[in-house]
Amino acid sequence: MSIRADNLLVRLRETLGEACGQASVGAADQITLEIPAEAVEAVCRTLRDTPDLAFDQLIDVCGVDYSDFPQEPDATRPRFAVVYHLLSTTQNARLRVRAYLDDEFPLVASVIDVWPAANWFEREAFDLLGIVFDGHPDLRRILTDYGFVGHPLRKDFPLNGEVEMRYDAQQGRVVYEPVSIENRISVPRVRRDDFRYEHPAG
């Protein structure tokens, strides 16, 4: 870890105290804070308003579905998380904040009052993953159709979707029907360890 990342981590722990949660440093000295979902709004406001931190820009808000996640198998970890990527233009620092959410009903407070730019990001996470942002003034779907069923970025969402649509000439309108094709199951490709298919050097 670089001196710069170490100093930022010290400032975060001093400012947030117990709310700092678990902190880890990844590639390129990227610091990730894992905080409780109920502390998200308060922690984000502190990160913005504390002069030594001054995370004045929200770069992104995204949801994650960790079910069947091959890189980090952990049976005790909740299925869903919401992740915030922050930038401090005065301190020239970046930070990732992650909060794990309830599996049955993923709910977290909206941070629109902290960073208004969260508006469309939160709507996107709601639309595609079903994460509900409490206090959002206009939490509607943003990328899918009005009558869309389900959340397409969830790992258990069928590849063919739930509903198909077509134009019906007799009715003179678009109609929605259950999917008429069977869900295709992907079969992983087999990688051989021998050299039968390599071109001879020459």
Side-chain angles (χ1 to χ4, degrees):
M1 178 176 17
S2 68
I3 296 175
R4 183 182 186 81
D6 187 53
N7 289 339
L8 176 57
L9 196 53
V10 169
R11 294 201 306 271
L12 287 167
R13 286 176 173 154
E14 288 176 350
T15 304
L16 297 175
E18 294 182 359
C20 185
Q22 294 183 352
S24 60
V25 181
D29 287 336
Q30 173 75 61
I31 295 177
T32 301
L33 292 184
E34 291 185 6
I35 63 173
E38 57 271 14
V40 162
E41 186 177 12
V43 167
C44 287
R45 196 174 297 277
T46 301
L47 291 172
R48 184 197 66 181
D49 295 341
T50 304
D52 286 346
L53 299 173
F55 286 97
D56 51 345
Q57 285 194 16
L58 175 70
I59 301 300
D60 187 27
V61 178
C62 59
V64 184
D65 182 355
Y66 282 107
S67 60
D68 300 327
F69 201 70
Q71 285 81 8
E72 301 177 28
D74 186 353
T76 63
R77 177 179 53 199
R79 175 180 176 182
F80 297 106
V82 62
V83 181
Y84 305 86
H85 294 95
L86 310 178
L87 170 67
S88 172
T89 55
T90 57
Q91 302 293 330
N92 190 24
R94 292 181 181 271
L95 178 67
R96 178 186 298 122
V97 178
R98 175 169 53 201
Y100 290 105
L101 308 176
D102 180 65
D103 289 5
E104 297 299 322
F105 186 68
L107 173 70
V108 68
S110 172
V111 294
I112 284 185
D113 291 340
V114 183
W115 299 290
N119 190 344
W120 282 26
F121 292 136
E122 291 181 353
R123 285 182 61 185
E124 181 182 37
F126 165 72
D127 188 1
L128 301 182
L129 279 160
I131 296 173
V132 177
F133 293 89
D134 188 29
H136 192 290
D138 188 25
L139 198 60
R140 292 176 294 138
R141 290 188 180 271
I142 192 171
L143 294 174
T144 57
D145 195 12
Y146 297 113
F148 195 87
V149 177
H151 305 284
L153 285 188
R154 288 192 176 188
K155 299 286 181 68
D156 55 2
F157 190 80
L159 294 177
N160 297 326
E162 304 280 3
V163 177
E164 64 184 21
M165 53 185 278
R166 64 177 177 81
Y167 179 77
D168 189 305
Q170 292 180 343
Q171 298 183 40
R173 64 180 179 88
V174 173
V175 295
Y176 295 86
E177 300 171 335
V179 174
S180 60
I181 56 177
E182 291 186 16
N183 194 13
R184 182 176 63 88
I185 300 175
S186 298
V187 178
R189 295 180 179 178
V190 177
R191 179 176 177 178
R192 301 186 184 276
D193 293 329
D194 55 31
F195 304 99
R196 288 182 291 173
Y197 303 106
E198 288 189 358
H199 294 287

